Amino acid sequence: MTTLDKVLYTARAHTTGGRDGASRSDDGRLQVQLSSPGGSGTGTNPEQLFAAGYSACFIGAIKAVAAKQKLTLPQDLAIDAEVDLGTIPNAYGIAARLKVHLPGMDRAQAQQLVNDAHQVCPYSNATRGNIDVTLTLA
């Protein structure tokens, strides 16, 4: 278990209705309708939110590592994230795939940057050893 040395930020959300409900943050910046994957609802689902959150966080980790290493990142840095929902023995689980786009960077340098970012990203640290995470360089 990872224990935080110092809390930098706390996100707060209030959710009702589960997968077919709604969620909102305490500051009002996030207000989403939720729908089950493949269902008839028009809202997003937790797996889409996880994909968006993980990819955004991973880009932040790439930027932090690149700044420390004095690397210039391409302006069109992007990540395509996929999060699978599936079954595991007696329960449900998820798996994640991040396809990192670092166009114009030397491939070996870009791969090392992705590897280093994976070590500092909070989502990577939270999921490491708990779910399958696949990182690929586009």
Side-chain angles (χ1 to χ4, degrees):
M1 180 172 81
T2 302
T3 303
L4 299 177
D5 294 329
K6 179 182 177 184
V7 174
L8 302 175
Y9 173 75
T10 299
R12 292 178 180 84
H14 179 79
T15 302
T16 57
R19 285 181 172 273
D20 294 306
S23 189
R24 63 178 167 77
S25 61
D26 66 335
D27 63 5
R29 292 181 181 187
L30 174 73
Q31 294 187 24
V32 295
Q33 289 300 120
L34 302 169
S35 298
S36 294
S40 61
T42 59
T44 188
N45 60 64
E47 291 71 32
Q48 290 171 327
L49 293 169
F50 191 87
Y54 197 169
S55 57
C57 188
F58 203 87
I59 288 175
I62 287 172
K63 288 180 176 182
V65 170
K68 282 186 177 182
Q69 296 177 1
K70 299 187 182 348
L71 298 174
T72 301
L73 293 173
Q75 284 191 312
D76 47 356
L77 158 64
I79 295 179
D80 294 318
E82 296 178 329
V83 173
D84 299 321
L85 171 65
T87 58
I88 58 175
N90 302 315
Y92 296 95
I94 60 172
R97 291 180 301 284
L98 302 181
K99 186 175 185 180
V100 182
H101 300 267
L102 289 162
M105 281 191 77
D106 172 77
R107 190 150 185 89
Q109 187 179 51
Q111 185 62 60
Q112 187 60 53
L113 180 60
V114 168
N115 295 346
D116 292 346
H118 189 47
Q119 296 307 307
V120 301
C121 175
Y123 274 67
S124 292
N125 287 329
T127 59
R128 188 172 289 111
N130 296 311
I131 69 168
D132 287 333
V133 174
T134 304
L135 302 173
T136 58
L137 191 57

